[in-house]
C-alpha cells in the first residue's frame, strides 16, 4: 500500500498483469478436489461490451473467485461468438460507407474482411473483460468459428443427420427480405403500429351476387389464398362450408372450410387462408392438406408465376398471376390491389386497426413468412441408434430432443434460479417447432452438405468423404451457413475436448452454473441442454441463474440507436465529455436523434464520467443483483460505492499507522486482554462471514454486498475503529495488544470476504495487512482461504453490551443535535442511575464529543441542563439551556411517548386480548408499557422543573 490516497488507475492494470502472468486463473485439474466450472455466455464480436456484460461478468467472476478461495478446482472458460447475421451486417455497413458491397468483393474476400473485424472486436472485448477484473482462464479462450469448434460443429451435424435428426425441407420461416436470409424468432421484434383492416367481398362461385366478407390486414397476399375459413360452430356460415368462392383479382375458386382456429367474434368471422405467407394459416393448411401458393419473391416482390407445393414439399404446376402486379414491391402491390378491389366493387370498407408488425431487429424491415428450402433439426423425432455413432448410454438415451430438455429440468438435474422461469421454459418446450438451422449468409459455419447434378444431397465431414458417398461424382457444396445458435449450443462440451474423452470433460461437465439473461432461455439455454444431453449423456450445467436486464437511469433499454449505451471501461477509467459525446452519437441508427442524445448526455455528465474504478463498478453491479430483477443503473449509486472504496482505503491506512512496527499479538505467549468492544467486533465478523457465505451460495450477490457494506462502513469503520482509538490511548499493554490484533485480523478477514466482489483494492490492501495479521501466507489474496464462521467466537454478552453502548451514544448525540450544539462544543455529561453503565462511559466522550462522562448519585433538580432518558438512566448535558426551546422539545417528546402509551393501553384493554393472546406477547406489551411510563414520568419531572 504505497499511495496515501485511493487511485484505482494506479493499481488495477498492474495487479491484473501479475495475476495473469503467474497463472492464478488456471485450474489445478486435480480430480480429487471438488470442481467448480462456469461457461461465459460468449459475447458477439460485433463491437464492444456493454453494461449488461459487466453485470453478468461481475457475478461470474465473483463466483469464480469465491470457489477458488474455497480451494476448489476452478475453471472459468471465456470465449466469443461469431454472431453470423449481426457481424456480417456490421462489416457490410462499413463497406457500404465506402460504396462497396460484399458482392463486389466476392465471398472469400468478404469473409477475410470479417476475420479482420473479428480480431479487432475480439481483442477489444477481452481487454474490456480484463479491465473489469475477470479471472477467466485465458489459455482456454475459444471462438465459435475457430478450427477446434468448426470440427465439433461438423461432427455434430453429421451425427445428427445420420441419426435422422437433421433433414432438409421446404417450410415456412421468418424471412428478412433485406438481408436475404431466414432469421430466428430472437431476431424478430414485434412492433405495435397503426394499420388497417380491409373488408373484401369473396363472391360465391355459383351465385356471384352473394358473398362472404373477409377481413384482412394483408390484402397483398390475397393471390396466394387457398381457402376461406369459418368456425365450425358459427351458425352464420354453416350453410357455406364446402362451397366454392371466387378469389378476387384471380380466375381461381377456393373452398370454404371449417376450422376452430377462427375467432367467431373477430372481424367478420371469415378468415382468408394463405399458408405460404402466414404461420397460423400454415398450420390450418396443414390440417386440411391444402396447397401452398407462394406469390412473393425472396426480395418481397410480386411474382409473375406463383410457386405451388404440397405439404410434402413436392412442387406442383405454377399458377400464372395477374401481370399488372408482377415485380411490384409487396406494399406497392397492396396499394394497387386495394384500388382495384375498390374499382370492382369488392372493397366493402376499411377500418383503422392496431396490429403487431414483425420487424428484423438488425434491418428494421418487415419480416415476411416465406416458404423456402431450409435445414431443420427435428425436435420430436427419436434418434436412429443403428448408426456408426449412436447416442452414449445414459438415462437420456432414446428420448427426443424435446423430451431430453423437459426431463433434465423435471428430474431436478437442471435448476432455474429464480424458479419461476421453469414455467416459461416448459411453455416453450411444450410448443416447440422443428429448429430451422440454415441461414443464407456468407459468414458462419458452412453446412457440410454437397449436391450432385441431380440434386441428391451428401452430408459428410469433408468433400473427400462426400465424394466417396457419391461415387466420385462432381459435387457442389451447399452455400448456406448454420444458425449462430447451433455452434453456441455446443459450447458446454466443444470447449472441453469432445469428442475425445478428456480430463476436462470429467472435471468440468456439467458446469456448476450458467449466468445469463432471460431473453435467451429458449434460444441458447434449452439448446445447450438438448445438445449436451444428446451427445454426452450429461446435463450441461446444474444451475441456471437468470438475471435481469441493465437499463439506463430512466429505465430505458440501452441501445446504440438511443445513444444511451455505456461502455463499462468508461466508468472504470473515466472519459471526458467531448469523447463521450463522440461515442454516444457515433453509429446512431437514426442520426436525427443526435441533438437529443447530446443534450441528455451533457445533462447527465456535464464534466464527463469521472473515474470510478473497477471495484466500485463491480460493487454497484453486485448490489443490484436481486434475483431476476432488471435494474436501472444509477451513477449516484456507483459514486457512493467509489466513496466506499475510499472509506476502506482510509480505514486501512489508519489501522496500519496504529499497528505497523507495534506488537499486534503475533507472539501468542504474551497476554491479551480483550475488551467487550473487541469481542463484539469479532462476534459480528463471525456473523458476517456466515451471512456472506450463505448469500454467495444462493446467488444473492445483493445480500452479500449489503452485508459487507454495512459491516465495513457502519460497524468496523464508524464504530470499532473509533472505539479502538480509546482503547489504544487508555488501555494497558495487554489491552492495546488485543486491540491491535483485533484491528488487523478483522480487517484481513474482511478483505478476503470482499475479494470476490472487489478484487483489486482487496489485493492491494491485503498484501500489507496479511503479514501483520499473521495470516497464512499466500502469494495472492485470491489463493488465500475463504473465511469460515466460528460460532464459538460469538459472544452474546459482548453483543448486548455493545448494543447498549450504541444506544447510549445515540441518545447523547440526539441530545446534542436537539439542543443545537455544534461539533466544537464539548460539554460534560452527567449520568444518574444505571450503575451497570460503568464499563460503557469511558467510550462516550470521544464518540459523542464530550469533555467527560461520569456517574452521579443524582442530577440537580434545579439545574436547567437538558435531560434525556436511556436504559433506565437520566442523561444530562451541563450546558446553558434555552428554557423555552428545551420545554418545547420535552413537550414534543412527551406527546410522542403518550401516543405510544395510549396505543399499548388500548391493546391491553381490548376484550379478550390478555386471555387469548400468547402470554409472551402480553408480557412484552406490559414490559414496554412500564418502560414508556417510566420515561414519560421523568420527562414530566423535567418539564415541571422548567415551568416552575
Amino acid at each position: 500500500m504505497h499511495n496515501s490516497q485511493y487511485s484505482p488507475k494506479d493499481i488495477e492494470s498492474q495487479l491484473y498483469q501479475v495475476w495473469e502472468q503467474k497463472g492464478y486463473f488456471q485450474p489445478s485439474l486435480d480430480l480429487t478436489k471438488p470442481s467448480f466450472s462456469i461457461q461465459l455466455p460468449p459475447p458477439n464480436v460485433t463491437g464492444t461490451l456493454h453494461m449488461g456484460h459487466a453485470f453478468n461478468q461481475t457475478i461470474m467472476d465473483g463466483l469464480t473467485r469465491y470457489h477458488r478461495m474455497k480451494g476448489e478446482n476452478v475453471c472459468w472458460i471465456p470465449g466469443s461468438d461469431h454472431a453470423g447475421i449481426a457481424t456480417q451486417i456490421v462489416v457490410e455497413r462499413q463497406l457500404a460507407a465506402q460504396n462497396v458491397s460484399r458482392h463486389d468483393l466476392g465471398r472469400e474476400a468478404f469473409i477475410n474482411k470479417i476475420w479482420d473485424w473479428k480480431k479487432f472486436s475480439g481483442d477489444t472485448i477481452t481487454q474490456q473483460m480484463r479491465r473489469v477484473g475477470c479471472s477467466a482462464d485465458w489459455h482456454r479462450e475459444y471462438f465459435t468459428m475457430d478450427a477446434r469448434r468448426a470440427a465439433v460443429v461438423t461432427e455434430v451435424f453429421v451425427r445428427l443427420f445420420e441419426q435422422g435428426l437433421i433433414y432438409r425441407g421446404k417450410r415456412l420461416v421468418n424471412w428478412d427480405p433485406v438481408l436475404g436470409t431466414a432469421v430466428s424468432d430472437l431476431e424478430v421484434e414485434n412492433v405495435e403500429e397503426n394499420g388497417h383492416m380491409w373488408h373484401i367481398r369473396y363472391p360465391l362461385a355459383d351465385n356471384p351476387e352473394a358473398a362472404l366478407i373477409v377481413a384482412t390486414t394483408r390484402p397483398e397476399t390475397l393471390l396466394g389464398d387457398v381457402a376461406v375459413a369459418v368456425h365450425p360452430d358459427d351458425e352464420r356460415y354453416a350453410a357455406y362450408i364446402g362451397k366454392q368462392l371466387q378469389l378476387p383479382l384471380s380466375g381461381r375458386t377456393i373452398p370454404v372450410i371449417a376450422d376452430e382456429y377462427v375467432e367467431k367474434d373477430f372481424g367478420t368471422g371469415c378468415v382468408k387462408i394463405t399458408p405460404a405467407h402466414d404461420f397460423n394459416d400454415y398450420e390450418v393448411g396443414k390440417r386440411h392438406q391444402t396447397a401452398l401458393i407462394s406469390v412473393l419473391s425472396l426480395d418481397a416482390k410480386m411474382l409473375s408465376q406463383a410457386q405451388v407445393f404440397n405439404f410434402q414439399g413436392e412442387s406442383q404446376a405454377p399458377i400464372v398471376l395477374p401481370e399488372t402486379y408482377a415485380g411490384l414491391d409487396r406494399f406497392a402491390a397492396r396499394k394497387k390491389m386495394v384500388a382495384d378491389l375498390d374499382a370492382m366493387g369488392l372493397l366493402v370498407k376499411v377500418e383503422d386497426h392496431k396490429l403487431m408488425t414483425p420487424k428484423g431487429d438488425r434491418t428494421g424491415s418487415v419480416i415476411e413468412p416465406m416458404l423456402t428450402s431450409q435445414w431443420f433439426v427435428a425436435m420430436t423425432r427419436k434418434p436412429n441408434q443403428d448408426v456408426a455413432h449412436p447416442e452414449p448410454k445414459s438415462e437420456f438415451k432414446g428420448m427426443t430432443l424435446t423430451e431430453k430438455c423437459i426431463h433434465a429440468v423435471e428430474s431436478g438435474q437442471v435448476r432455474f434460479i429464480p424458479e419461476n422461469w421453469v414455467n416459461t421454459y416448459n411453455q416453450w418446450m411444450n410448443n416447440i417447432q422443428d429448429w430451422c438451422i440454415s441461414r443464407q449468409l456468407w459468414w458462419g459455419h458452412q453446412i457440410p452438405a454437397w449436391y450432385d447434378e441431380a440434386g441428391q444431397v451428401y452430408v459428410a465431414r469433408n468433400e473427400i468423404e462426400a465424394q466417396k458417398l457419391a461415387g466420385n461424382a462432381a459435387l457442389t457444396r451447399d452455400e448456406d451457413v448454420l444458425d449462430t445458435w447451433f455452434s453456441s449450443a455446443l459450447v458446454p462440451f466443444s470447449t472441453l475436448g469432445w469428442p475425445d474423452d478428456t480430463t476436462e470433460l470429467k472435471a468440468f461437465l456439467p458446469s456448476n452454473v450458467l449466468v445469463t439473461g432471460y431473453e435467451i432461455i429458449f434460444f441458447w439455454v434449452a439448446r445447450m441442454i438438448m445438445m449436451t444431453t444428446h451427445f454426452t449423456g450429461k446435463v450441461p450445467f446444474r444451475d441456471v441463474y437468470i438475471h435481469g436486464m441493465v437499463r439506463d437511469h430512466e429505465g430505458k433499454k440501452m441501445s446504440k440507436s438511443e445513444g444511451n449505451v455505456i461502455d463499462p471501461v468508461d466508468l472504470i477509467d473515466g472519459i471526458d465529455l467531448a469523447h463521450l459525446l463522440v461515442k454516444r452519437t457515433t453509429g446512431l441508427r437514426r442520426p436525427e436523434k443526435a441533438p437529443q442524445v447530446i443534450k441528455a448526455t451533457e445533462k447527465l455528465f456535464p464534466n464527463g464520467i469521472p473515474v470510478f474504478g473497477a471495484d466500485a463498478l463491480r460493487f454497484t453491479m453486485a448490489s443490484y443483483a436481486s434475483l431476476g430483477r432488471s435494474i436501472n443503473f444509477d451513477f449516484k449509486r456507483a459514486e457512493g460505492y467509489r466513496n466506499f472504496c475510499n472509506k476502506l482505503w482510509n480505514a486501512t491506512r489508519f489501522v496500519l499507522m496504529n499497528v505497523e512496527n507495534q506488537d499486534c499479538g503475533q507472539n501468542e505467549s504474551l497476554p491479551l486482554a480483550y475488551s467487550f468492544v473487541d469481542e463484539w467486533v469479532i462476534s459480528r465478523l463471525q456473523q458476517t462471514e456466515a451471512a456472506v457465505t450463505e448469500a454467495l451460495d444462493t446467488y444473492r450477490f445483493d445480500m452479500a454486498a449489503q452485508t459487507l457494506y454495512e459491516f465495513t462502513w457502519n460497524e468496523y469503520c464508524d464504530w470499532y475503529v473509533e472505539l479502538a482509538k480509546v482503547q489504544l490511548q487508555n488501555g494497558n499493554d495487554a489491552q492495546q495488544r488485543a486491540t491491535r490484533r483485533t484491528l488487523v485480523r478483522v480487517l484481513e478477514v474482511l478483505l478476503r470476504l470482499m475479494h470476490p466482489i472487489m478484487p483489486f483494492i482487496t489485493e492491494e490492501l491485503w498484501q500489507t495487512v496479511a503479514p501483520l495479521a499473521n495470516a497464512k501466507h499466500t502469494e495472492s489474496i485470491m489463493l488465500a482461504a475463504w473465511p469460515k464462521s466460528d460460532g464459538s467466537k460469538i459472544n452474546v454478552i459482548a453483543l448486548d453490551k455493545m448494543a447498549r453502548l450504541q444506544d447510549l451514544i445515540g441518545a447523547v448525540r440526539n441530545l446534542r443535535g436537539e439542543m443545537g450544539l455544534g461539533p466544537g462544543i464539548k460539554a460534560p455529561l452527567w449520568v444518574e442511575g444505571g450503575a451497570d453503565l460503568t464499563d460503557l462511559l469511558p467510550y462516550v466522550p470521544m464518540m459523542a464529543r464530550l469533555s467527560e462522562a461520569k456517574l452521579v448519585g443524582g442530577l440537580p433538580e434545579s439545574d436547567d441542563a437538558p435531560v434525556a432518558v436511556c436504559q433506565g438512566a437520566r442523561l444530562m448535558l451541563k450546558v446553558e439551556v434555552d428554557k423555552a426551546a428545551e420545554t418545547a422539545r420535552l413537550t414534543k417528546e412527551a406527546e410522542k411517548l403518550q401516543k405510544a402509551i395510549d396505543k399499548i393501553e388500548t391493546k391491553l384493554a381490548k376484550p379478550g386480548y390478555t386471555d387469548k393472546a400468547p402470554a409472551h406477547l402480553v408480557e412484552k406489551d406490559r414490559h414496554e408499557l412500564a418502560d414508556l411510563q417510566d420515561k414519560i414520568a421523568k420527562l414530566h419531572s423535567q418539564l415541571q422543573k422548567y415551568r416552575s
Side-chain angles (χ1 to χ4, degrees):
M1 185 178 179
H2 304 295
N3 297 341
S4 60
Q5 291 187 339
Y6 172 57
S7 175
K9 279 189 174 182
D10 292 338
I11 62 174
E12 291 180 354
S13 296
Q14 178 183 354
L15 282 176
Y16 195 92
Q17 288 178 12
V18 172
W19 291 336
E20 190 173 356
Q21 288 169 1
K22 293 200 172 183
Y24 295 155
F25 304 158
Q26 296 174 41
S28 67
L29 290 180
D30 183 351
L31 298 184
T32 64
K33 290 183 177 181
S35 289
F36 178 86
S37 61
I38 193 166
Q39 290 275 357
L40 174 78
N44 296 340
V45 289
T46 51
T48 58
L49 299 186
H50 52 65
M51 294 296 279
H53 293 111
F55 183 50
N56 68 28
Q57 288 171 13
T58 294
I59 295 169
M60 284 185 280
D61 190 54
L63 290 169
T64 299
R65 290 177 182 272
Y66 167 57
H67 285 275
R68 187 182 289 121
M69 293 176 77
K70 289 176 71 176
E72 298 174 9
N73 177 26
V74 174
C75 185
W76 182 15
I77 302 175
S80 54
D81 195 290
H82 65 280
I85 291 176
T87 306
Q88 180 162 319
I89 288 175
V90 167
V91 177
E92 285 200 73
R93 284 177 178 163
Q94 293 171 352
L95 292 173
Q98 306 167 30
N99 294 319
V100 177
S101 76
R102 63 183 165 113
H103 300 286
D104 295 332
L105 291 179
R107 184 164 185 156
E108 184 177 352
F110 177 70
I111 289 175
N112 287 336
K113 285 282 186 185
I114 299 183
W115 277 108
D116 291 341
W117 167 255
K118 180 269 168 187
K119 185 177 188 313
F120 167 77
S121 176
D123 289 351
T124 301
I125 287 170
T126 57
Q127 288 307 311
Q128 284 179 298
M129 288 184 64
R130 286 172 166 88
R131 291 296 293 114
V132 172
C134 297
S135 59
D137 183 1
W138 296 107
H139 292 83
R140 299 178 187 277
E141 184 182 3
Y142 67 88
F143 178 56
T144 55
M145 269 183 62
D146 63 28
R148 181 63 188 167
R149 258 44 61 180
V152 173
V153 166
T154 299
E155 185 65 27
V156 164
F157 187 98
V158 172
R159 290 192 187 189
L160 288 174
F161 180 81
E162 291 173 346
Q163 294 169 5
L165 297 183
I166 279 184
Y167 66 92
R168 184 169 174 80
K170 190 172 288 290
R171 294 274 299 277
L172 207 59
V173 297
N174 294 312
W175 185 267
D176 189 318
V178 173
L179 289 177
T181 182
V183 295
S184 72
D185 290 342
L186 185 66
E187 292 150 335
V188 178
E189 296 177 340
N190 288 299
V191 181
E192 186 178 68
E193 292 185 335
N194 294 319
H196 297 93
M197 181 80 76
W198 287 271
H199 292 247
I200 303 169
R201 286 173 52 87
Y202 281 55
L204 267 69
D206 59 2
N207 182 14
E209 297 301 317
L212 293 186
I213 310 300
V214 173
T216 180
T217 59
R218 299 206 62 200
E220 68 275 13
T221 63
L222 176 150
L223 296 175
D225 290 359
V226 297
V228 168
V230 297
H231 194 279
D233 298 333
D234 195 333
E235 295 178 357
R236 294 174 296 173
Y237 305 117
Y240 294 92
I241 297 171
K243 290 186 175 294
Q244 293 289 315
L245 301 175
Q246 292 179 1
L247 180 62
L249 308 179
S250 164
R252 290 193 294 119
T253 61
I254 57 175
V256 179
I257 61 174
D259 196 280
E260 292 184 350
Y261 159 69
V262 180
E263 297 178 39
K264 290 189 289 185
D265 299 327
F266 181 76
T268 64
C270 299
V271 178
K272 64 191 285 294
I273 302 300
T274 322
H277 293 287
D278 184 276
F279 288 104
N280 292 318
D281 292 2
Y282 182 88
E283 295 302 321
V284 174
K286 192 174 183 180
R287 284 195 289 274
H288 294 268
Q289 285 298 297
T290 67
L292 295 130
I293 303 175
S294 180
V295 299
L296 291 173
S297 65
L298 294 180
D299 56 356
K301 292 180 180 178
M302 297 299 297
L303 295 169
S304 59
Q305 284 191 329
Q307 298 175 335
V308 185
F309 303 90
N310 60 24
F311 275 90
Q312 288 69 48
E314 298 166 343
S315 179
Q316 298 181 349
I319 295 174
V320 177
L321 299 177
E323 192 174 325
T324 184
Y325 309 122
L328 290 180
D329 175 79
R330 55 189 160 164
F331 299 118
R334 171 190 292 180
K335 187 175 181 180
K336 183 165 178 51
M337 284 182 179
V338 169
D340 290 347
L341 289 167
D342 192 22
M344 297 169 66
L346 297 177
L347 183 64
V348 178
K349 64 177 179 177
V350 182
E351 293 178 328
D352 291 336
H353 179 68
K354 291 271 189 186
L355 72 161
M356 300 302 292
T357 302
K359 293 190 174 183
D361 66 347
R362 309 292 181 186
T363 62
S365 62
V366 176
I367 295 298
E368 188 67 45
M370 195 73 77
L371 194 64
T372 59
S373 292
Q374 303 286 349
W375 289 91
F376 295 89
V377 176
M379 294 289 103
T380 56
R381 186 185 299 171
K382 291 188 181 295
N384 178 13
Q385 304 294 341
D386 188 23
V387 290
H389 297 284
E391 292 179 86
K393 292 181 180 179
S394 76
E395 63 186 280
F396 296 98
K397 186 170 183 177
M399 294 181 182
T400 68
L401 294 177
T402 302
E403 289 169 343
K404 288 176 166 70
C405 288
I406 293 172
H407 178 69
V409 175
E410 283 187 348
S411 64
Q413 294 180 66
V414 174
R415 181 176 66 137
F416 279 87
I417 301 164
E419 190 177 358
N420 61 287
W421 287 109
V422 172
N423 298 328
T424 308
Y425 174 85
N426 285 336
Q427 184 179 13
W428 185 71
M429 294 310 304
N430 290 324
N431 293 279
I432 199 169
Q433 300 291 323
D434 285 356
W435 173 16
C436 176
I437 56 172
S438 49
R439 297 291 182 267
Q440 290 64 54
L441 303 170
W442 287 358
W443 173 245
H445 291 279
Q446 194 169 351
I447 289 173
W450 286 261
Y451 302 90
D452 60 21
E453 293 181 355
Q456 181 69 33
V457 64
Y458 303 92
V459 171
R461 291 166 181 80
N462 51 59
E463 188 170 1
I464 295 174
E465 188 177 307
Q467 284 187 325
K468 287 182 181 178
L469 294 173
N472 293 321
L475 299 176
T476 303
R477 185 166 184 175
D478 194 314
E479 292 191 352
D480 287 355
V481 299
L482 287 166
D483 177 14
T484 296
W485 299 106
F486 188 90
S487 53
S488 58
L490 315 181
V491 158
F493 56 95
S494 71
T495 57
L496 297 175
W498 186 92
D500 297 331
D501 185 20
T502 64
T503 302
E504 285 82 355
L505 276 169
K506 292 185 178 73
F508 304 127
L509 186 73
S511 62
N512 295 72
V513 60
L514 176 72
V515 180
T516 188
Y518 61 85
E519 69 276 9
I520 56 174
I521 290 176
F522 321 129
F523 301 95
W524 189 46
V525 177
R527 287 166 179 167
M528 283 192 287
I529 294 174
M530 69 175 62
M531 289 296 188
T532 308
T533 54
H534 185 76
F535 285 101
T536 71
K538 298 179 182 179
V539 295
F541 28 71
R542 297 294 186 195
D543 291 343
V544 182
Y545 172 82
I546 303 294
H547 61 73
M549 180 181 291
V550 181
R551 302 179 182 273
D552 71 10
H553 68 292
E554 294 179 343
K556 295 178 183 176
K557 181 180 178 180
M558 291 189 183
S559 68
K560 290 181 181 178
S561 60
E562 290 292 329
N564 61 353
V565 171
I566 304 168
D567 183 339
V569 176
D570 288 345
L571 270 79
I572 293 171
D573 292 338
I575 183 171
D576 62 55
L577 182 60
H579 288 90
L580 183 58
L581 291 177
V582 170
K583 290 186 75 167
R584 283 285 173 93
T585 54
T586 298
L588 277 180
R589 204 181 284 174
R590 294 166 59 187
E592 69 274 11
K593 296 192 73 172
Q596 177 183 331
V597 170
I598 290 171
K599 186 176 180 180
T601 303
E602 288 179 322
K603 181 180 179 181
L604 198 57
F605 306 108
N607 300 309
I609 299 178
V611 175
F612 286 103
D615 290 317
L617 173 62
R618 288 169 62 112
F619 205 90
T620 305
M621 293 303 189
S623 73
Y624 276 130
S626 298
L627 293 181
R629 291 178 56 188
S630 291
I631 64 173
N632 298 346
F633 190 84
D634 184 357
F635 291 90
K636 291 293 183 184
R637 194 161 181 172
E639 187 177 348
Y641 292 130
R642 162 64 200 255
N643 294 339
F644 178 58
C645 291
N646 271 325
K647 184 83 170 179
L648 179 63
W649 188 273
N650 292 333
T652 303
R653 286 189 66 237
F654 167 80
V655 170
L656 293 176
M657 285 189 293
N658 281 274
V659 303
E660 280 186 306
N661 302 317
Q662 299 283 333
D663 184 354
C664 296
Q666 289 98 330
N667 187 341
E668 302 286 347
S669 65
L670 295 176
L672 295 165
Y674 290 99
S675 70
F676 77 88
V677 175
D678 298 326
E679 291 174 338
W680 163 76
V681 78
I682 292 169
S683 299
R684 284 294 299 122
L685 179 65
Q686 307 312 309
Q687 294 171 331
T688 299
E689 289 171 356
V692 173
T693 299
E694 181 182 5
L696 294 180
D697 283 340
T698 56
Y699 308 111
R700 290 303 303 267
F701 274 76
D702 56 330
M703 299 302 296
Q706 180 183 341
T707 300
L708 288 167
Y709 182 92
E710 290 177 353
F711 178 77
T712 304
W713 192 303
N714 299 338
E715 297 180 293
Y716 183 75
C717 294
D718 283 358
W719 281 102
Y720 182 69
V721 169
E722 296 302 316
L723 293 170
K725 294 177 183 177
V726 177
Q727 299 179 162
L728 292 175
Q729 289 173 5
N730 304 328
N732 58 36
D733 287 349
Q735 292 168 335
Q736 290 180 355
R737 186 180 299 113
T739 296
R740 284 192 291 266
R741 179 185 172 109
T742 304
L743 273 170
V744 294
R745 291 204 168 194
V746 172
L747 178 58
E748 188 275 330
V749 172
L750 188 53
L751 292 172
R752 280 187 279 147
L753 286 172
M754 285 194 284
H755 178 74
I757 299 177
M758 298 201 301
F760 294 106
I761 190 172
T762 53
E763 177 76 273
E764 180 73 8
L765 299 178
W766 186 83
Q767 291 293 344
T768 305
V769 172
L772 297 172
N774 210 22
K776 185 176 180 181
H777 178 71
T778 59
E779 291 183 342
S780 168
I781 189 173
M782 77 170 67
L783 305 179
W786 180 253
K788 292 182 179 179
S789 177
D790 184 350
S792 67
K793 293 182 179 179
I794 298 177
N795 187 321
V796 178
I797 295 174
L799 289 170
D800 179 66
K801 208 167 188 178
M802 185 63 188
R804 292 169 57 220
L805 174 60
Q806 290 173 321
D807 190 24
L808 177 61
I809 292 171
V812 178
R813 287 173 174 173
N814 287 338
L815 196 56
R816 290 182 61 100
E818 290 169 8
M819 297 306 299
L821 298 183
I825 300 175
K826 292 192 174 183
L829 175 73
W830 287 5
V831 181
E832 176 193 280
D836 56 347
L837 302 180
T838 304
D839 290 348
L840 309 184
L841 289 183
Y843 297 99
V844 177
M846 189 186 74
M847 298 298 290
R849 296 182 178 273
L850 304 175
S851 58
E852 64 174 331
K854 64 179 181 178
L855 286 171
V856 295
L859 299 181
E861 294 296 330
S862 60
D863 204 309
D864 294 336
V867 173
V869 179
C870 178
Q871 297 180 18
R874 298 173 67 214
L875 313 178
M876 174 186 289
L877 283 172
K878 293 289 292 179
V879 292
E880 292 297 325
V881 177
D882 181 334
K883 285 190 176 183
E886 184 63 6
T887 298
R889 183 187 72 82
L890 292 175
T891 300
K892 185 176 180 181
E893 181 66 19
E895 290 172 351
K896 184 178 176 183
L897 287 172
Q898 189 60 52
K899 286 182 180 178
I901 289 170
D902 292 344
K903 184 177 180 181
I904 296 177
E905 285 181 337
T906 300
K907 183 196 288 188
L908 291 170
K910 191 174 180 180
Y913 174 72
T914 55
D915 296 329
K916 297 178 181 178
H920 72 280
L921 292 181
V922 175
E923 183 60 30
K924 179 184 176 184
D925 288 336
R926 286 173 173 162
H927 180 78
E928 187 175 348
L929 178 61
D931 186 51
L932 290 171
Q933 289 171 334
D934 181 58
K935 287 182 178 180
I936 201 169
K938 291 176 180 177
L939 287 180
H940 283 152
S941 174
Q942 188 69 14
L943 277 169
Q944 184 63 33
K945 179 183 63 176
Y946 285 144
R947 289 168 179 161
S948 60

